[in-house]
Amino acid sequence: MSKIKSIEDLMKIKEKALKELQLRDTGKRGKITVAMGTCGIAAGAKETLRAIVEALAENNISDIAVVQSGCMGLCEVEPTIEVRLEGQEPVVYGHVTPENAKRIVKQHILGNQIVSDLLVRKGEM
Amino acid sequence: MVDRETVVKLVRSVKNQALEERDMLINALHQIQNYFGNYIPVEAAQLVAEELNVPESKVYEVLTFYTMFSTKPRGKYVIRVCVNLPCHVTGGRQIVETLKETLGIDFDQTTKDGLFTLEKTSCLGLCGVAPVIMVNDEYYGDLTPKKVKELIERLKAGGDAK
Amino acid sequence: MPLTTSTILICAGGACISSGEISVKEALQREIRKYGLDEVVRIVETGCMGACSLGPLMVIYPEGVFYQKLTPQAAEKIVQEHLLKGRIVQEYLYKMPTGEAVPEAMDKLPFFARQVKIATRNVGYIDPANIEEYIARDGYFALTKVLTEMTPEQVIEEIKRSGLRGRGGAGFPTGLKWELTRKAKGDRKYVVCNADEGDPGAFMDRSILEGDPHTVLEAMAIAGYAIGAQQGYIYVRAEYPLAIERLQIAIAQAREYGFLGKSILGTDFSFDIEIRIGAGAFVCGEETALIASIEGKRGQPRVKPPYPAQSGVWGCPTVINNVETLACIPPIIIKGAEWFRSIGTPSSPGTKVFALAGKITNTGLVEVPMGITLRELLYEIGGGSSTGKKIKAVQTGGPSGGCIPSEYFDTPVDYESLQKLGAIMGSGGMIVMDEDDCMVDVAKFFLEFTVDESCGKCTPCREGTRQMLKILEKITSGEGTEEDLQELETLGNIIKDTSLCGLGQTAPNPVLSTLRYYRHEYEAHVKEKRCPALRCKALIRYVIDASKCVGCTACARVCPVNAISGELRKVHSIDNSVCIRCGSCIEVCRFGAISKVSP
C-alpha cells in the first residue's frame, strides 16, 4: 500500500470503499428476489443469482438489493425472479437463465421496460 | 529458577517496540507476567530493573502499586470479579458468594490445586451485561450462579472456557 | 467486484463477546459453508451497537432485520430460514412489551431512532479492523482538510467556537485547553488520550476504542498539528485487552496508509502514536497520575498548578483529552462549529454518550443531544425499570457523582443542571436503582471503591475516606447514631476541600448527595435500626407467614445453614440468629410465605 499523499488519493479510496459499504444497505430503488427453493436451485437459480449480481455491477447499479427467497410456487417456469422497483407494480419473470437475467437487467432495471416474453405475473399476489 | 536469558529477551523486545525507551516499565512488567503465568517472580523483577537501568526500588514501587501485578504465584486462571455498583445491583453479590463457595477460597487466595485465584476488581466497563467476571483475558457477562458453576466446571476439565 | 448479496453485521463489542458472540459467529460460518452460501453472504464483526441487554445480536442487510438474544442454535435456524429461504425468523426479532415484533428495530425503536450519533457514528456500522471502511465514512478527511487548508490557529479557533467540552467528566472547554498548550513554552509537546475509563458504570470509551479506533487516531493527529506536538500516547487500562488489540491494528494500518509517521500527506507535519497500558489503578484516570504512570512510575497525582498544558509528560506541555471528546473532533472539522452548536444546549453543545446500567430494561449505550430530560432518557429510550418496581433514583457520574431521586427526572441533562442537583455529568454513566436498593448501602458501596482506589498520598483522602467508610459500616450494621450522621457531613466536606486530586475531592459526593435526598433512610437506620429497602443484612429478618405456610419443607431443605425448622405439614419457623440472609428460601417457596421485615 503506497502512502496517501493527497486529497485526490483519499477520495479514490473513499469512493471504492463506499460502493462496497452501500451494497449492504437496504436497496433504495428496488429489490430483486431470486427464488432459491430446491426446485429453483435444481433449475439453476444459483447461476441466475450470480448473473444478476454481475450484470448489476457491470452496469454500475448500486441501489438495487438482491435477495433470496424460498420457492415462489411457480416450479414449472423456474428459475423465477421477482423485480420490485420503486413506484412500479412488482413483476415476476420465469425461465430466467443467466442470459435472460442479463436481458432483464438491461431492459427492465436500466430501461424501465418490462421484458414481455419472460413475464409470468404482474402485480401483487 | 528464573532463566536470565528469557527475561532479558522479553524486556528487549518491549524496548524495541517503543519509540522511546525510558517509560517501558509497565509494558515490560505485563509481558513478564504473561510469560510466567500470572505472576512476576522477584528475580525477574530484579532483572528488569537491571535491563531498563532503573533502581530496584522503583520497580518495587510500581509492582506493589498496581493491582494487576503480583509477586505471589497465582493460579492458572485468575478470576477477577467486578464488585462495583452496576454489577452489585444486578445480582453481583450472589456471584461473589457462588464463586467463594464453589472454589472454597476467599479473595486473594489460590485453590490448593493451583488452578484458580480469586480477586476483586473494579468496574470492567461491561455494565450492559452485568454481572461480569474476567478470567485471565476473557470476559463473561450475563452471569447467574448456575452459569458460574458451569464455567468453573469447564475450566476444571481443561476445556476452552467458551 | 464481490458477489455479496447479504451482509451480516454482528456486534463484537466486549459485552456481546462476553455473552457468547464468538460461538454464534462460528455457528453462522459453519452453516453458511454447509449450504454453500459463503460467496454470497459476508459476515462483518463491528464494534458495540449499544444495545447490550439484547446481545448477542446482529443485523442482516439489505433488509435491515435486527435479530437479538442469539445462540448458536438461533444462528443455524436463521441461516436456514432467512438466508436460504428469505423467511424472517420471528422468534429472534425484537419484541415490544405488547408482543409485537419489530424487524427493523434499528429504524423504529426509540432506543436506536432517538439517538444522534456523532462520537459513536461508526461504532456498530463498520469493521473496526478495516481502515477503508473508516475512510468510506469520511475518515481521515478531517485530517486532510486540517493539513492542507487550515493553520493550527484556525483549527483551535474552530474547536473553540464549537463549544466542545471535555467528555471525561470535568467539562473543561477543549478548544481552550488546546490553545493553552499551544501557547505554552517548550520545543517538545505531547498529545495524550485518556483511555483509562475507570468509572463504574461507564463503558462508552471502551466501545469507541473497540468499534472505531481510527477516529481517536485521527483526532490525536489533528490535536498534534494544532498544538505543535509530534508524539502521542494512548493510555489504555489493562482491563480492556480487546481495545488494545484493535488500537494496535488501527495504528499499524494508519502508518501503512501514511496517516501517521513522517511527512503526513506530503506535508512537513510528522506525528506518531504509542500505546501505554495501565495495570489496574482507577486513580490513573486523573491526569497527573496518568502522566506519572506513562513515565513508568506509581500513579500518584501531584499538585496542580502547574497544569499539564504547562508541564505534563516529562515536564513538557501536554494536552490530555478523553476518548469521547476526541471522537467528536473529526466531525466538527468536517461539518463546522455551527453545526455542532446547533445540537444540544448553548452551554453544553453537541451530544453525549450515556451508559445505561443497573435496573433498567435497555442497558447499553445511547448517544443523545445534551439537554434531553432524565425522564426521556430513562423511560422512553431506556425502557424504564427492568424489575417491575418503581425506579427510585439514578446515580450519575460514577464514584464522583451523586444520586438523583425520581422527583427530579424532568431535569435536562447538561453540565450545569446536574451540578445544581449535587450530582455531576461525569463520564456519562447512569446507574438506575429501584425501591429494593438501599441508598445507605449504595453510598457505602461507592466509598468502598474509593477507599480501595485511593493512591494514599494525601491524608484527607487516605484517612478521611476510610473513616467515612467505617461510619457507614456502623450504620448498616445497626450500630449507627445521630452523631454519626453529623460526622459524615463534616468529614465529607473537609475531605472535599482539602484533598490533593479529583478522586479525593469528589469521593464524598455519593454520601453527601444521598444524605441530602435520602436523609430519612439514614435516620431510619440509626434511630429505628430499620432498613426501608430491606437490604442491609444486619437490620432485616426473614419471617414465615403462618397463614400461608403449608409445611412443604422446601425452604428447610434448601437452607445452607439449617436455620429453618418445622415438621412436614406444620408451619415452619426461621431462627434469625443463624440465618445468613441468602434469600434461597424466598426463591424456593411457592406460597409466598416468606418475607423480609425490618427491624
Side-chain angles (χ1 to χ4, degrees), chain A residues 3-6, chain C residues 143 147 230 254-255 257-272:
Chain A
K3 304 205 176 176
I4 312 278
K5 287 291 177 188
S6 67
Chain C
L143 181 59
L147 292 182
Q230 302 194 315
R255 284 182 185 153
Y257 278 63
F259 296 116
L260 288 178
K262 302 232 181 302
S263 308
I264 298 177
L265 287 165
T267 64
D268 54 14
F269 174 64
S270 304
F271 188 78
D272 211 335

Short mmCIF file of all heavy atoms in Angstrom, two decimals, chain A residues 3-6, chain C residues 143 147 230 254-255 257-272:
data_model
loop_
_atom_site.label_atom_id
_atom_site.label_comp_id
_atom_site.label_asym_id
_atom_site.label_seq_id
_atom_site.Cartn_x
_atom_site.Cartn_y
_atom_site.Cartn_z
N LYS A 3 1.64 5.17 0.38
CA LYS A 3 1.04 6.13 1.30
C LYS A 3 0.20 7.16 0.57
O LYS A 3 0.48 7.55 -0.55
CB LYS A 3 2.14 6.82 2.11
CG LYS A 3 2.98 5.81 2.82
CD LYS A 3 3.66 6.34 4.03
CE LYS A 3 4.40 5.17 4.69
NZ LYS A 3 5.16 5.51 5.80
N ILE A 4 -0.83 7.61 1.28
CA ILE A 4 -1.71 8.64 0.71
C ILE A 4 -0.97 9.95 0.72
O ILE A 4 -0.45 10.37 1.74
CB ILE A 4 -2.96 8.81 1.58
CG1 ILE A 4 -3.55 7.45 1.91
CG2 ILE A 4 -3.95 9.72 0.92
CD1 ILE A 4 -4.39 6.89 0.86
N LYS A 5 -0.93 10.62 -0.41
CA LYS A 5 -0.18 11.86 -0.46
C LYS A 5 -1.05 13.07 -0.77
O LYS A 5 -0.58 14.18 -0.77
CB LYS A 5 0.95 11.77 -1.51
CG LYS A 5 2.11 10.90 -1.09
CD LYS A 5 2.89 11.54 0.05
CE LYS A 5 4.01 10.60 0.49
NZ LYS A 5 4.71 10.99 1.65
N SER A 6 -2.30 12.83 -1.10
CA SER A 6 -3.11 13.99 -1.47
C SER A 6 -4.58 13.67 -1.24
O SER A 6 -4.97 12.53 -1.05
CB SER A 6 -2.91 14.31 -2.94
OG SER A 6 -3.46 13.25 -3.71
N LEU C 143 -8.47 15.26 8.84
CA LEU C 143 -7.02 15.45 8.95
C LEU C 143 -6.47 16.09 7.67
O LEU C 143 -5.64 17.01 7.71
CB LEU C 143 -6.32 14.12 9.22
CG LEU C 143 -4.80 14.17 9.37
CD1 LEU C 143 -4.40 15.09 10.51
CD2 LEU C 143 -4.23 12.77 9.61
N LEU C 147 -4.59 19.68 7.42
CA LEU C 147 -3.20 19.82 6.97
C LEU C 147 -3.07 20.63 5.68
O LEU C 147 -2.03 21.24 5.45
CB LEU C 147 -2.58 18.43 6.76
CG LEU C 147 -2.35 17.61 8.03
CD1 LEU C 147 -1.68 16.30 7.69
CD2 LEU C 147 -1.48 18.38 9.01
N GLN C 230 4.52 16.18 18.18
CA GLN C 230 4.80 15.18 17.16
C GLN C 230 4.63 13.77 17.71
O GLN C 230 4.86 12.81 17.00
CB GLN C 230 6.22 15.35 16.66
CG GLN C 230 6.41 16.75 16.12
CD GLN C 230 7.66 16.86 15.32
OE1 GLN C 230 8.69 16.36 15.76
NE2 GLN C 230 7.57 17.48 14.18
N ALA C 254 -2.86 2.75 9.99
CA ALA C 254 -2.72 4.19 9.76
C ALA C 254 -1.30 4.51 9.30
O ALA C 254 -1.07 5.35 8.42
CB ALA C 254 -3.06 4.96 11.02
N ARG C 255 -0.34 3.80 9.90
CA ARG C 255 1.05 4.03 9.48
C ARG C 255 1.25 3.58 8.04
O ARG C 255 1.88 4.26 7.24
CB ARG C 255 2.01 3.25 10.37
CG ARG C 255 2.20 3.89 11.73
CD ARG C 255 3.20 3.10 12.55
NE ARG C 255 3.30 3.64 13.90
CZ ARG C 255 3.63 2.92 14.95
NH1 ARG C 255 3.87 1.63 14.81
NH2 ARG C 255 3.71 3.48 16.14
N TYR C 257 -0.90 3.46 5.63
CA TYR C 257 -1.53 4.36 4.66
C TYR C 257 -0.95 5.76 4.72
O TYR C 257 -1.36 6.64 3.98
CB TYR C 257 -3.04 4.43 4.92
CG TYR C 257 -3.81 3.29 4.33
CD1 TYR C 257 -3.59 1.98 4.74
CD2 TYR C 257 -4.76 3.50 3.33
CE1 TYR C 257 -4.29 0.92 4.19
CE2 TYR C 257 -5.47 2.45 2.78
CZ TYR C 257 -5.22 1.16 3.21
OH TYR C 257 -5.93 0.11 2.66
N GLY C 258 -0.03 5.98 5.63
CA GLY C 258 0.62 7.29 5.70
C GLY C 258 -0.11 8.34 6.50
O GLY C 258 0.16 9.53 6.37
N PHE C 259 -1.06 7.95 7.36
CA PHE C 259 -1.72 8.96 8.18
C PHE C 259 -0.98 9.20 9.48
O PHE C 259 -1.26 10.13 10.21
CB PHE C 259 -3.17 8.55 8.48
CG PHE C 259 -4.02 8.46 7.26
CD1 PHE C 259 -4.55 7.24 6.87
CD2 PHE C 259 -4.27 9.58 6.49
CE1 PHE C 259 -5.34 7.15 5.73
CE2 PHE C 259 -5.05 9.49 5.35
CZ PHE C 259 -5.58 8.28 4.97
N LEU C 260 -0.06 8.31 9.80
CA LEU C 260 0.81 8.51 10.96
C LEU C 260 2.22 8.28 10.48
O LEU C 260 2.46 7.47 9.59
CB LEU C 260 0.48 7.50 12.07
CG LEU C 260 -0.80 7.68 12.85
CD1 LEU C 260 -0.95 6.54 13.85
CD2 LEU C 260 -0.84 9.00 13.57
N GLY C 261 3.15 8.99 11.12
CA GLY C 261 4.54 8.79 10.72
C GLY C 261 5.13 10.09 10.23
O GLY C 261 4.70 11.18 10.62
N LYS C 262 6.13 9.99 9.37
CA LYS C 262 6.80 11.20 8.91
C LYS C 262 6.09 11.79 7.69
O LYS C 262 5.55 11.06 6.87
CB LYS C 262 8.26 10.88 8.54
CG LYS C 262 9.06 10.27 9.66
CD LYS C 262 10.37 11.04 9.87
CE LYS C 262 11.22 10.46 10.99
NZ LYS C 262 10.53 10.41 12.27
N SER C 263 6.13 13.10 7.62
CA SER C 263 5.61 13.82 6.44
C SER C 263 4.24 13.32 6.02
O SER C 263 4.06 12.80 4.93
CB SER C 263 6.56 13.68 5.25
OG SER C 263 7.84 14.04 5.60
N ILE C 264 3.28 13.51 6.90
CA ILE C 264 1.93 13.01 6.62
C ILE C 264 1.32 13.78 5.45
O ILE C 264 1.38 15.00 5.39
CB ILE C 264 1.06 13.19 7.89
CG1 ILE C 264 1.68 12.36 9.02
CG2 ILE C 264 -0.36 12.75 7.63
CD1 ILE C 264 0.96 12.50 10.33
N LEU C 265 0.75 13.03 4.53
CA LEU C 265 0.08 13.61 3.37
C LEU C 265 0.99 14.56 2.61
O LEU C 265 0.55 15.56 2.04
CB LEU C 265 -1.20 14.37 3.77
CG LEU C 265 -2.34 13.44 4.17
CD1 LEU C 265 -3.42 14.19 4.90
CD2 LEU C 265 -2.93 12.80 2.93
N GLY C 266 2.27 14.24 2.64
CA GLY C 266 3.19 15.06 1.85
C GLY C 266 3.51 16.41 2.46
O GLY C 266 4.20 17.22 1.84
N THR C 267 3.00 16.68 3.67
CA THR C 267 3.34 17.97 4.30
C THR C 267 4.53 17.75 5.22
O THR C 267 5.04 16.64 5.34
CB THR C 267 2.18 18.47 5.18
OG1 THR C 267 2.00 17.54 6.25
CG2 THR C 267 0.90 18.57 4.37
N ASP C 268 4.98 18.81 5.91
CA ASP C 268 6.12 18.60 6.80
C ASP C 268 5.66 18.31 8.23
O ASP C 268 6.41 18.50 9.17
CB ASP C 268 7.08 19.78 6.75
CG ASP C 268 6.38 21.10 7.03
OD1 ASP C 268 5.22 21.07 7.51
OD2 ASP C 268 6.97 22.15 6.77
N PHE C 269 4.40 17.86 8.38
CA PHE C 269 3.90 17.51 9.71
C PHE C 269 4.11 16.03 9.94
O PHE C 269 3.70 15.18 9.14
CB PHE C 269 2.41 17.86 9.79
CG PHE C 269 1.76 17.40 11.07
CD1 PHE C 269 2.16 17.91 12.29
CD2 PHE C 269 0.75 16.46 11.04
CE1 PHE C 269 1.55 17.48 13.47
CE2 PHE C 269 0.13 16.02 12.21
CZ PHE C 269 0.54 16.54 13.42
N SER C 270 4.81 15.71 11.04
CA SER C 270 5.02 14.31 11.39
C SER C 270 4.39 14.05 12.74
O SER C 270 4.44 14.89 13.64
CB SER C 270 6.52 14.00 11.49
OG SER C 270 7.15 14.32 10.29
N PHE C 271 3.76 12.88 12.89
CA PHE C 271 3.10 12.56 14.15
C PHE C 271 2.99 11.06 14.28
O PHE C 271 2.63 10.38 13.33
CB PHE C 271 1.71 13.21 14.18
CG PHE C 271 1.03 13.11 15.51
CD1 PHE C 271 1.37 13.96 16.56
CD2 PHE C 271 0.03 12.16 15.73
CE1 PHE C 271 0.74 13.87 17.79
CE2 PHE C 271 -0.61 12.06 16.96
CZ PHE C 271 -0.24 12.92 17.99
N ASP C 272 3.30 10.54 15.46
CA ASP C 272 3.10 9.12 15.67
C ASP C 272 2.54 8.86 17.05
O ASP C 272 2.60 9.71 17.93
CB ASP C 272 4.41 8.35 15.46
CG ASP C 272 4.14 6.95 14.92
OD1 ASP C 272 3.02 6.42 15.14
OD2 ASP C 272 5.03 6.37 14.28
#
